[in-house]
Amino acid sequence: MKSGDALAVMGNTGNAALASPPFAHCHFEVRATTTGAGLDPTAYTGHPNAVGTYGTAINGMEDDGMKFLKVTSGKCEVFTAPDVNAVDKSYNGGKLIEGTCYPVQAEVGSSGGYSWVRIFVAGVQCYAVVLADRCQLVTLSPGDAFAACVAQGGAGGGTEELKAQLEAANARANAEAHRAEEADKRAAEETQRADRAQAGEAKANEQAGEYLRRIESAKAALGGAV
């Protein structure tokens, strides 16, 4: 899978698999290349790893597509709480980055006619006010949504760095697989040599037995002649 690939084209959110009857849903797992063990994707997406619904959807429809806050102006601010006095100066001087899409976890309220949304900024839960001249709520395609989540999930340089990390992991996995293949090949050769040696020993024993039978026959013949 690479950035831009669609994971699913339909389905519902929530506990879809255990519903009665089950909802249509996409089951997505992340597993390590080398061991096959399951990985927690929250290190890349910035989402909580828990059963249930993560907050209230922006328009109250749980099964709608995931929402993002698309920043259209460098004046858009980020807050540590839904409070205009809680500007988070530790992140980019309190400003969200223009042209960036931040995953929206939930709508948390409204103030002065504007909606507050809870978002993830570099993997940390923060807040923003939806201002028409500075940002807008959008629904992204699966590929763009994945890229936006990765970029905000503490992956450093975003998708490019993650891609490099995955390529390095795959290279290590391929090297391990090659070494394992070589070890299997050597083991197979040792087994073949052992089988050949065992077959040779069996043949030698058979020949020795035949020689002994001939000697006994010769002895019997000589004894009868006497």
Side-chain angles (χ1 to χ4, degrees):
M1 185 190 71
K2 63 182 183 301
S3 177
D5 289 348
L7 299 181
V9 294
M10 64 176 292
N12 300 78
T13 59
N15 199 351
L18 297 182
S20 181
F23 302 146
H25 66 285
C26 172
H27 181 77
F28 176 59
E29 292 185 354
V30 178
R31 293 188 174 275
T33 304
T34 53
T35 64
L39 297 178
D40 184 353
T42 59
Y44 307 108
T45 65
H47 288 74
N49 185 12
V51 175
T53 303
Y54 304 137
T56 304
I58 297 304
N59 61 0
M61 298 293 289
E62 184 196 346
D63 59 353
D64 277 358
M66 184 175 180
K67 303 292 183 179
F68 291 80
L69 183 71
K70 182 178 181 181
V71 177
T72 56
S73 169
K75 296 180 180 180
C76 191
E77 294 180 305
V78 60
F79 305 88
T80 58
D83 182 347
V84 293
N85 297 314
V87 176
D88 185 3
K89 295 294 185 180
S90 65
Y91 177 79
N92 194 37
K95 305 293 184 182
L96 293 173
I97 300 173
E98 183 177 351
T100 300
C101 292
Y102 297 89
V104 172
Q105 183 188 27
E107 182 179 23
V108 296
S110 61
S111 176
Y114 299 106
S115 295
W116 283 93
V117 291
R118 186 161 64 235
I119 61 177
F120 287 102
V121 178
V124 179
Q125 182 174 283
C126 294
Y127 299 85
V129 177
V130 182
L131 299 169
D133 62 335
R134 301 182 185 184
C135 57
Q136 59 181 315
L137 292 172
V138 299
T139 301
L140 301 181
S141 68
D144 290 339
F146 177 77
C149 287
V150 168
Q152 299 307 318
T159 56
E160 289 303 317
E161 181 172 335
L162 178 61
K163 181 179 179 181
Q165 293 174 357
L166 291 175
E167 288 177 348
N170 286 332
R172 290 193 296 272
N174 290 336
E176 288 293 337
H178 180 70
R179 284 193 289 270
E181 184 179 345
E182 289 296 319
D184 289 342
K185 183 178 179 180
R186 289 193 296 271
E189 291 174 349
E190 289 293 335
T191 300
Q192 291 174 356
R193 282 196 290 269
D195 289 343
R196 288 195 295 268
Q198 186 176 5
E201 183 180 356
K203 186 174 182 180
N205 289 336
E206 183 180 352
Q207 290 176 342
E210 181 62 25
Y211 292 150
L212 289 175
R213 285 192 294 273
R214 290 180 182 178
I215 291 173
E216 292 300 325
S217 296
K219 286 182 178 180
L222 290 173
V226 174

